[in-house]
Amino acid sequence: MARMAPRSQFKIPKIPEMTVRRLSVYTRCLQQLEEDGIKTISSQDLAERFNLNSAQVRKDLAYFGEFGVRGIGYYVSGLKAELQKILGLDREWPVALVGFGNLGSALFHYKGFARQGFRIVAVFDDDPAKHGRLEDGVPIMSLRDLPREVKARGIQIAILAVPAEAAPGVTDRLVASGIKAILNFAPSRLRPPRDVRLKNVDLSIELETLSFYLAQGHR
Amino acid sequence: MARMAPRSQFKIPKIPEMTVRRLSVYTRCLQQLEEDGIKTISSQDLAERFNLNSAQVRKDLAYFGEFGVRGIGYYVSGLKAELQKILGLDREWPVALVGFGNLGSALFHYKGFARQGFRIVAVFDDDPAKHGRLEDGVPIMSLRDLPREVKARGIQIAILAVPAEAAPGVTDRLVASGIKAILNFAPSRLRPPRDVRLKNVDLSIELETLSFYLAQGHR
């Protein structure tokens, strides 16, 4: 474990995933402030306006540098640009979508991805009837074409929208093809190797934040 | 503002949303431990096993009571049941789904909701061609039927899966019908009244946790 290696390829070690998630939230808040014509903001005002915790904001940002200016606060556009860079949003990421059923199709048309620089450039499905079709100019292909396309298009990120039982096998193929990060919508426990980043999306967690508040209100 | 009112209907004030989100995560970890036959676990072991922060775990749980037992740690099944109760998962919630396009249809068939007790009991869409259809026994109806159905079925939670431009108008109708919590998938800024809880799902945030780690690795 070379945690203190001075020239590790990872400049920033061990950032909690919740911090990363909050960086995304802060970026959206700053975007909104920018649209509203606000140039600078204090961490207190930022926190108050968007219902955040100002100490948390400062702590999260402190992982990455000193962004606040005494007596001024944060420069909205400057901080937004910094956070986008940290999140890798200063570039475009070609993305593979695997599974083109209802969910895959909905994700394909989801506008939010492209807005943040995630461009679905290839779709894979195991149904031969779909192969060769173009969806908004993007080809739907067989999983057999995965290694070739991942290489040719420089794809590092895949979105997995296949049925639960197919997910482990498809994950193996994604890994073998050189995919480095997987956003998984299938309700399966996947175990990619350590150098492949996995993020499971569990939509019921979103509903639970709602039922929590309803349940609290009724007790 | 009766923040200190001794008999407020809200027993637990001001819980950060991130804490609630983590309670959902802990519940899933405990579920997994239970399946693996583990009876008790310390906060340290829990944190290590699931890559959590043990101080954070203790702090989150402390909002709701004293769950740990000195020298033993947490009783897995007992804590899981407590958290489920706190999250409102000890009951079934009838849910309305509004919008039955690709995304709505994918969400309708999403297995995770029912597993946590969220049951979609009515679907609404503005396409008359879909009205009167039953999808797995659940009726697809006109938005005109919303007030009646919300009342008749005791629905408090709605999932919004309509296009962005339709979302504000539909939100007004949901609120007028008596809906108390909205899970919104539309990329719109909605402003329901204060007593209606809104949770916006932004799927691109999930991708950003991946691009963050990829971007960090490449710098």
Side-chain angles (χ1 to χ4, degrees):
Chain A
M1 302 295 273
R3 273 219 193 157
M4 300 192 54
R7 292 190 198 177
S8 159
Q9 61 168 328
F10 298 92
K11 252 163 109 185
I12 301 158
K14 275 281 193 189
I15 309 292
E17 193 183 307
M18 282 297 187
T19 291
V20 180
R21 200 177 178 86
R22 283 190 296 264
L23 294 186
S24 288
V25 172
Y26 303 157
T27 307
R28 282 158 177 74
C29 296
L30 293 162
Q31 172 76 41
Q32 204 165 310
L33 291 171
E34 206 177 35
E35 284 167 15
D36 294 346
I38 292 164
K39 304 288 186 207
T40 62
I41 193 161
S42 68
S43 58
Q44 284 79 0
D45 287 351
L46 181 70
E48 210 157 283
R49 194 159 164 153
F50 295 102
N51 202 14
L52 307 167
N53 173 331
S54 68
Q56 181 89 72
V57 171
R58 288 191 295 271
K59 194 181 155 200
D60 287 335
L61 296 180
Y63 280 111
F64 304 95
E66 180 52 73
F67 299 105
V69 179
R70 193 170 294 273
I72 290 180
Y74 303 114
Y75 286 101
V76 170
S77 298
L79 182 57
K80 192 193 80 173
E82 288 287 345
L83 295 186
Q84 286 180 322
K85 205 169 139 189
I86 289 166
L87 289 167
L89 303 180
D90 56 341
R91 66 188 79 180
E92 207 173 79
W93 297 92
V95 172
L97 171 65
V98 185
F100 201 67
N102 274 324
L103 180 60
S105 177
L107 293 171
F108 182 87
H109 292 105
Y110 185 72
K111 298 280 189 297
F113 293 149
R115 206 181 295 141
Q116 301 294 330
F118 300 102
R119 188 167 298 279
I120 294 171
V121 295
V123 176
F124 301 90
D125 196 284
D126 68 356
D127 177 3
K130 295 176 184 165
H131 298 159
R133 244 175 71 191
L134 284 179
E135 185 84 10
D136 293 356
V138 174
I140 303 181
M141 292 174 277
S142 159
L143 278 158
R144 275 194 303 271
D145 300 325
L146 195 61
R148 187 193 67 213
E149 294 296 320
V150 165
K151 207 170 173 189
R153 297 172 191 265
I155 302 171
Q156 295 186 66
I157 302 175
I159 298 175
L160 197 49
V162 301
E165 60 279 12
V170 172
T171 299
D172 291 344
R173 297 178 76 165
L174 289 170
V175 171
S177 302
I179 287 292
K180 290 294 168 212
I182 299 171
L183 186 67
N184 173 39
F185 283 85
S188 302
R189 263 203 247 176
L190 305 178
R191 304 186 187 284
R194 274 175 167 271
D195 64 327
V196 174
R197 192 97 201 167
L198 171 68
K199 171 80 191 149
N200 293 305
V201 178
D202 184 341
L203 295 172
S204 49
I205 286 185
E206 314 289 344
L207 270 179
E208 291 172 23
T209 65
L210 294 176
S211 63
F212 167 82
Y213 290 103
L214 292 177
Q216 296 306 323
H218 288 214
R219 262 167 203 166
Chain B
M1 303 294 272
R3 274 222 190 155
M4 298 192 55
R7 294 189 198 177
S8 161
Q9 62 168 325
F10 297 92
K11 251 165 108 185
I12 301 160
K14 273 281 192 190
I15 307 293
E17 193 183 306
M18 281 296 186
T19 291
V20 180
R21 201 179 177 84
R22 283 190 296 265
L23 294 187
S24 289
V25 172
Y26 303 156
T27 307
R28 282 157 178 74
C29 296
L30 292 163
Q31 172 75 42
Q32 202 166 310
L33 290 172
E34 205 178 36
E35 283 167 16
D36 295 347
I38 292 165
K39 303 289 184 207
T40 63
I41 193 161
S42 67
S43 59
Q44 284 80 0
D45 287 350
L46 181 70
E48 211 158 283
R49 193 160 163 152
F50 294 102
N51 203 15
L52 307 166
N53 175 330
S54 67
Q56 181 87 75
V57 170
R58 287 190 298 270
K59 194 180 154 201
D60 287 335
L61 295 180
Y63 280 110
F64 303 96
E66 179 55 69
F67 299 106
V69 178
R70 194 169 294 272
I72 289 179
Y74 303 115
Y75 286 100
V76 169
S77 299
L79 181 57
K80 193 194 79 173
E82 287 288 346
L83 295 186
Q84 286 179 322
K85 204 169 142 189
I86 290 167
L87 289 166
L89 303 180
D90 55 342
R91 67 186 81 177
E92 206 173 80
W93 296 93
V95 172
L97 170 66
V98 186
F100 202 66
N102 274 323
L103 180 59
S105 178
L107 293 172
F108 181 86
H109 292 104
Y110 185 72
K111 300 279 187 296
F113 293 149
R115 205 181 297 140
Q116 301 295 329
F118 301 103
R119 187 168 300 279
I120 296 171
V121 295
V123 177
F124 300 90
D125 196 284
D126 67 356
D127 177 4
K130 295 177 185 164
H131 298 161
R133 244 176 69 192
L134 283 179
E135 184 84 9
D136 292 356
V138 175
I140 304 181
M141 293 173 276
S142 159
L143 278 158
R144 273 194 303 271
D145 300 325
L146 196 60
R148 188 193 65 213
E149 294 294 321
V150 165
K151 206 168 175 191
R153 296 171 191 267
I155 301 172
Q156 297 187 63
I157 303 176
I159 299 176
L160 197 50
V162 300
E165 61 277 13
V170 172
T171 299
D172 291 344
R173 298 178 75 164
L174 288 170
V175 171
S177 302
I179 287 289
K180 290 297 168 210
I182 299 172
L183 185 67
N184 172 39
F185 283 85
S188 303
R189 264 203 247 174
L190 305 179
R191 302 186 190 284
R194 274 174 167 271
D195 64 328
V196 175
R197 191 97 203 168
L198 170 69
K199 170 81 191 150
N200 293 305
V201 178
D202 184 341
L203 295 172
S204 49
I205 286 187
E206 313 288 346
L207 270 178
E208 290 173 24
T209 64
L210 294 176
S211 63
F212 167 81
Y213 289 103
L214 293 176
Q216 296 305 323
H218 288 213
R219 262 169 203 165

